[in-house]
Amino acid sequence: MLKSNTKTFRTSSLIQTIHGNPHSNDYSSRRPMSQSTSIPKKLQRVRDHGYDNYMEVEKKMRKVLKFQDLILSQPSSLISISRLDALSRRLGLKQYEAGRFILKFPHVFEIFEHPVQRILYCRLTRKALLQIDRENEALLAQVPDAVTRLRKLLMLSNTGRLQLDHVRIARKDFGLPDDFEFSVILKNPQFFRLFDAKESGNKYVGIVERDPKLTVCAIEKLREKEYREKGIDAENIRFSFIVNFPPGFKIGKYYKIAVWKWQRLPYWSPYDDISGYDMRSLEAQKRLEKRGVAMIHELLYLTVEKKITLERIAHFRLAMNLPKKLKEFLLQHQGIFYISTRGNHGKLHTVFLREAYKKGELIEPNDLYLARRKLAELILLSPRKANVDRELVSYRRDREDDETGSINKEFIESSVDDFETEYNGIQDGEGQDKLKSDLDCNAYSDCTNDDSCSEEGVNVGAAHVLSD
């Protein structure tokens, strides 16, 4: 009886929770059961192993690049193992850890014994040097595209200027050379200008004039392509983004409705000046939030590999009116962006543009991206294949030595055969008469002809060789 009363109490409590207390006019009791049709502010991150595996290789690449720069900075691009171990302490490695690390990548680093000093040295392999040359060539070839990317990056800022140090930190992401301040900015004074800010004293790079032709976002071009190729209704894709949720992401009915409403929400273009708009209304705040998504989307499209660290995006936060809590903001839109914490023990957050990747590879690769991925291929090659390559090289050398030895042996045998033929000709009667006449002619006279003396010496020497 007590058990049934308990069930009745729980059922009645549940009914009161759903329908509200009839004796109370408090509306807040019915609020927990109402479902919101807006995207939640806090969402749990769902892992995508394709991007995480990409970052695991990227972690090895960053450490390999540090060792490459260390070796190339030395005279003749050689460094002893003991000195490398001492200098690697600056990279955060422990004692003897540098030697263990470079032994893992025999396709990138080569260890050999110095012929004079008789100590172990390290240098880059031929494949690694070819990869560096290829990357430098691709970097120089795309400098005109880098100029356009920097112009668009400056046009994304509110004031048309960015701090030079912030651009320098992210130069590799945007495909800018190390000397971009001279090769890109100062060589194009019609597009850029350098100046010092009076209030802070920092150095800034600014845009000279905004070009309307460069104010078209990448997502707008994708919408036009979708409209022309697939014939999708223009009104449905006018303000929408390409959404591709990670595997395992739970999508409920109300969340689908929230995404459907958000996709049709108008927003200002990242290249538009919004300083004159009133942002106090709720509608303006929603549009500004969606503009932040479009801003990061365009920022990622300007990069070479369609990815950039969250910390570098934070450098441009104030200049581009981005939200303060960037990580939570990006986690609300996991169908557009992916945040990977792999690569630096969780201290580094890398933001990927999901629509630009498929199965962990860039859908539309460029030459610079392909040149950089060549280093990843060398890193992923097994050490066993490197040993096989060395064995093949040594086999070719041994074969060449054998061929050279056989050639020399055949040459000696043919020479001996010639000597034997000449000696056999002397043993004949005609040869003996000729030899006797030559001896009679020269018995009481010295040789006056050098050639005849040399021929006679050769014949006598051949006879001695054969007699021996």
Side-chain angles (χ1 to χ4, degrees), residues 53-65 68 104-109 127-128 130-132 134-135 305 307 360-361 368-383:
N53 294 337
Y54 185 98
M55 288 308 301
E56 287 294 335
V57 179
E58 189 83 7
K59 178 178 69 174
K60 297 178 182 178
M61 284 180 60
R62 282 198 296 267
K63 192 175 288 188
V64 166
L65 287 172
Q68 280 189 352
K104 295 178 182 178
F105 310 106
H107 294 276
V108 182
F109 305 105
K127 294 180 181 179
L130 289 176
Q131 184 273 330
I132 294 174
R134 182 179 177 182
E135 182 177 351
E305 301 181 26
K307 68 177 182 64
E361 294 292 336
L368 186 56
Y369 167 81
L370 293 175
R372 291 175 179 176
R373 296 306 295 175
K374 280 294 180 182
L375 179 60
E377 293 177 6
L378 294 178
I379 291 174
L380 293 177
L381 285 175
S382 64

Side-chain angles (χ1 to χ4, degrees), residues 14-35:
L14 182 61
I15 293 174
Q16 288 185 4
T17 304
I18 297 175
H19 297 286
N21 190 355
H23 302 289
S24 175
N25 295 326
D26 187 12
Y27 180 72
S28 62
S29 60
R30 297 194 298 271
R31 287 292 289 178
M33 298 305 298
S34 65
Q35 294 289 338

Side-chain angles (χ1 to χ4, degrees), residues 58-230:
E58 189 83 7
K59 178 178 69 174
K60 297 178 182 178
M61 284 180 60
R62 282 198 296 267
K63 192 175 288 188
V64 166
L65 287 172
K66 291 180 180 179
F67 275 93
Q68 280 189 352
D69 295 338
L70 194 60
I71 294 173
L72 293 175
S73 64
Q74 302 298 316
S76 303
S77 300
L78 301 174
I79 186 172
S80 63
I81 299 298
S82 58
R83 179 169 173 77
L84 180 65
D85 185 70
L87 293 178
S88 63
R89 309 287 179 84
R90 304 174 185 175
L91 305 178
L93 298 179
K94 298 178 182 178
Q95 190 176 9
Y96 307 127
E97 193 173 353
R100 299 191 195 100
F101 179 79
I102 61 177
L103 284 174
K104 295 178 182 178
F105 310 106
H107 294 276
V108 182
F109 305 105
E110 181 182 359
I111 299 177
F112 65 99
E113 185 179 10
H114 197 277
V116 178
Q117 301 179 9
R118 296 299 180 184
I119 59 176
L120 292 179
Y121 268 75
C122 179
R123 64 187 174 192
L124 298 181
T125 62
R126 185 178 59 85
K127 294 180 181 179
L129 292 174
L130 289 176
Q131 184 273 330
I132 294 174
D133 293 338
R134 182 179 177 182
E135 182 177 351
N136 292 334
E137 291 175 0
L139 186 63
L140 294 177
Q142 58 89 53
V143 166
D145 297 333
V147 172
T148 305
R149 285 195 292 266
L150 183 57
R151 292 175 66 189
K152 291 174 73 72
L153 181 65
L154 294 173
M155 290 170 62
L156 287 176
S157 63
N158 300 328
T159 58
R161 67 176 189 177
L162 290 172
Q163 194 169 334
L164 186 62
D165 290 339
H166 295 167
V167 179
R168 183 180 290 108
I169 291 173
R171 66 185 183 278
K172 291 188 179 295
D173 296 318
F174 296 104
L176 296 172
D178 293 337
D179 61 340
F180 76 96
E181 185 176 350
F182 303 99
S183 60
V184 174
I185 297 176
L186 295 180
K187 279 192 176 182
N188 297 277
Q190 69 276 17
F191 299 139
F192 312 108
R193 60 190 182 94
L194 284 173
F195 60 94
D196 295 329
K198 296 181 180 179
E199 60 274 9
S200 60
N202 296 324
K203 204 169 188 177
Y204 283 81
V205 53
I207 191 77
V208 174
E209 186 178 359
R210 300 177 71 91
D211 189 356
K213 297 179 182 179
L214 299 179
T215 56
V216 181
C217 296
I219 188 62
E220 296 177 10
K221 296 179 181 178
L222 292 174
R223 291 171 190 153
E224 184 178 357
K225 183 179 179 181
E226 291 284 328
Y227 173 73
R228 294 183 181 278
E229 293 181 357
K230 300 183 180 180

Side-chain angles (χ1 to χ4, degrees), residues 152-162 207 210 269-275 288 291 295 316-322:
K152 291 174 73 72
L153 181 65
L154 294 173
M155 290 170 62
L156 287 176
S157 63
N158 300 328
T159 58
R161 67 176 189 177
L162 290 172
I207 191 77
R210 300 177 71 91
S269 173
Y271 295 102
D272 291 344
D273 185 13
I274 60 172
S275 57
L288 185 63
R291 183 179 183 266
M295 182 76 73
F316 307 119
R317 186 181 65 82
L318 295 177
M320 298 180 182
N321 281 337
L322 296 176

Side-chain angles (χ1 to χ4, degrees), residues 36-39 253-263:
S36 174
T37 56
S38 61
I39 297 178
K253 180 178 70 174
Y254 291 101
Y255 188 81
K256 286 183 179 179
I257 297 173
V259 172
W260 183 87
K261 290 170 60 179
W262 184 86
Q263 289 278 53

